[in-house]
Amino acid sequence: MGELGIVGRAAELARINWLLDHTSTLVLEGPAGIGKTTVVAAAVAQARARGWTVLQCSPTPAETGYAYAGLSDLFTSLPEIPAVQRRAFEVATHRADAHEPVDPHVVAAATVSALRAYGPVLVVVDDVQWLDPETNAVLDFASRRLGGAPVALLVARRAARPGAPPWGPCSQLWLDGLSEGELHDVVYRQRGKSLPRPTVARLNAVCQGNPQMFLEMAGSDAIPASLLGLVPPRPSGDVLLTAAAMTSPTVEGLCAALDDDVAAELEAGELAGLIEIDGNDVRFVHPLFAEVIYGEAAAPRRRAVHRRLAEVSRDPRHLALGVIGPSEPVAQMLEDAGGVDMLRLSLAKTPSQGPAAGVWCRSPRHCSLPATLMPPGSCLRRKYPGWLGRCERGG
């Protein structure tokens, strides 16, 4: 048990103590649900216990386009700073009428002056990936000019993998998943439930140490049936389904396949915590989300999505998954493009039984459909009888 009753984060809490002792900048990174907000809350508690001032903001995707929105949330009031800086800051944060455009450099200088005037202060930005560009530039400016001042900056960023520092100079800390023993303790402390070791192991095979996802699954009376229930409420359109059907989804690829504006549904999916958008790349926060979204869609809807993708992609897999019944030409095309290797991979990764098999067997990433495309007497059936027999029997 770690400090403040937090399970499995002793090393992270030690880094928080180090941050407050050395007043530098620390970036916490990890996927949704891994525990970033828990560590941030512990940092805030530690800073306040030391008598520090805490300035905190938690931006959302909807606020990204509003200039200085994060700065306004951080500073609800200002200490004594030079009048020209105060004026620029108040105009930037819409606390004073603007008679002329605000100078971003003066706003940044005002922020440095305010942070120095506060004395020991912890600045916290949770979900920095959604911070507006203007506030981001101000804090980047400030982080480089606070040497020697009793100011610590703590930044939490949702990410599928470690990324470049948002500001410089700073330290970065990636939050790994919890161990099975730690996950057991989390459930016991929060739900009063002691799970058998095999159950913990089975759930962790899906959750990969993610405590939030583990709690959601463990809270179900029928744990195997809760896989679908893990996915948050989501938009009803085809954008997320199409992304789930793609090996490496992109905004550009989705627009081409759907011939429509996909921005609204992508933003809704991001707000729901299902996906992350990094420039042109679209990533599901957890692989399970893509598997479930694809697996629960009706077969005609999935085939329609693959047919649209086949029109804009060179991947013959989409053509194969978009047709009904056997097709020797499509099967031959798959073999020519490496389809037999895909079949071998699917046999290795598709569960043959168990509650999750229905989802995984329908997944485009582990699909056994090429066998069903080969008519009786097909040259490919004669060439690979063992693989196809296993495939058609479900492993």
Side-chain angles (χ1 to χ4, degrees):
M1 188 70 62
E3 190 177 345
L4 302 175
I6 297 174
V7 175
R9 294 301 182 196
E12 289 81 357
L13 295 178
R15 288 292 294 273
I16 294 300
N17 278 321
W18 181 91
L19 170 70
L20 297 178
D21 290 340
H22 294 81
T23 57
S24 59
T25 301
L26 177 64
V27 181
L28 296 175
E29 294 181 291
I34 202 67
K36 298 183 298 297
T37 298
T38 299
V39 176
V40 166
V44 169
Q46 287 189 36
R48 286 177 174 157
R50 295 184 181 207
W52 286 35
T53 298
V54 176
L55 306 177
Q56 189 169 7
C57 71
S58 301
T60 66
E63 300 167 2
T64 302
Y66 296 114
Y68 299 109
L71 201 62
S72 181
D73 289 343
L74 285 171
F75 293 90
T76 56
S77 62
L78 285 176
E80 288 298 322
I81 61 175
V84 65
Q85 293 181 359
R86 175 180 292 273
R87 171 67 183 169
F89 190 99
E90 290 177 343
V91 169
T93 56
H94 305 286
R95 297 171 191 174
D97 292 333
H99 302 296
E100 57 186 21
V102 67
D103 185 341
H105 182 266
V106 180
V107 176
T111 302
V112 173
S113 297
L115 291 174
R116 287 183 176 277
Y118 266 124
V121 57
L122 173 65
V123 179
V124 176
V125 181
D126 200 358
D127 282 326
V128 71
Q129 71 275 4
W130 292 323
L131 188 66
D132 63 272
E134 290 79 9
T135 299
N136 194 76
V138 165
L139 293 179
D140 182 23
F141 178 93
S143 70
R144 301 170 189 273
R145 290 164 175 81
L146 289 168
V151 180
L153 287 83
L154 179 61
V155 180
R157 177 167 61 187
R158 181 188 297 183
R161 61 188 63 84
W167 314 321
C170 67
S171 301
Q172 293 177 263
L173 178 60
W174 178 260
L175 267 64
D176 291 315
L178 300 182
S179 69
E180 291 182 0
E182 291 163 346
L183 290 170
H184 173 276
D185 291 346
V186 168
V187 173
Y188 184 77
R189 285 176 55 80
Q190 297 197 22
R191 300 281 169 83
K193 235 170 133 175
S194 182
L195 298 177
R197 183 176 295 179
T199 301
V200 173
R202 179 158 50 87
L203 295 182
N204 191 40
V206 175
C207 299
Q208 302 172 20
N210 189 302
Q212 180 181 348
M213 189 168 291
F214 190 90
L215 277 169
E216 291 171 355
M217 295 182 69
S220 172
D221 292 331
I223 291 173
S226 68
L227 293 174
L228 295 177
L230 282 177
V231 182
R234 51 204 175 278
S236 58
D238 284 340
V239 174
L240 294 185
L241 173 58
T242 305
M246 300 169 71
T247 304
S248 301
T250 62
V251 176
E252 183 180 16
L254 291 169
C255 289
L258 298 174
D259 194 25
D260 201 358
D261 182 7
V262 302
E265 191 172 334
L266 284 176
E267 185 174 56
E270 193 171 31
L271 282 170
L274 287 165
I275 59 172
E276 294 174 339
I277 302 171
D278 182 11
N280 190 42
D281 296 328
V282 178
R283 292 189 294 266
F284 282 89
V285 169
H286 194 281
L288 180 68
F289 293 168
E291 305 294 348
V292 172
I293 288 173
Y294 185 89
E296 71 171 357
R301 191 169 164 222
R302 294 198 304 268
R303 286 195 295 268
V305 162
H306 283 293
R307 285 194 293 270
R308 288 198 293 267
L309 287 169
E311 294 175 358
V312 298
S313 169
R314 295 181 179 180
D315 187 350
R317 183 180 59 106
H318 294 303
L319 183 60
L321 294 169
V323 301
I324 299 177
S327 171
E328 178 87 20
V330 173
Q332 185 64 60
M333 187 183 303
L334 284 170
E335 186 191 27
D336 294 341
V340 170
D341 290 337
M342 184 184 76
L343 178 58
R344 184 188 293 115
L345 181 62
S346 73
L347 290 170
K349 292 191 174 182
T350 302
S352 60
Q353 57 186 358
V359 173
W360 282 88
C361 288
R362 290 194 299 267
S363 164
R365 293 173 175 80
H366 312 281
C367 185
S368 59
L369 241 174
T372 69
L373 295 172
M374 302 178 190
S378 162
C379 63
L380 296 183
R381 283 183 178 270
R382 293 192 298 270
K383 189 173 181 180
Y384 307 106
W387 294 349
L388 302 183
R390 286 182 57 203
C391 186
E392 290 166 339
R393 291 192 303 271

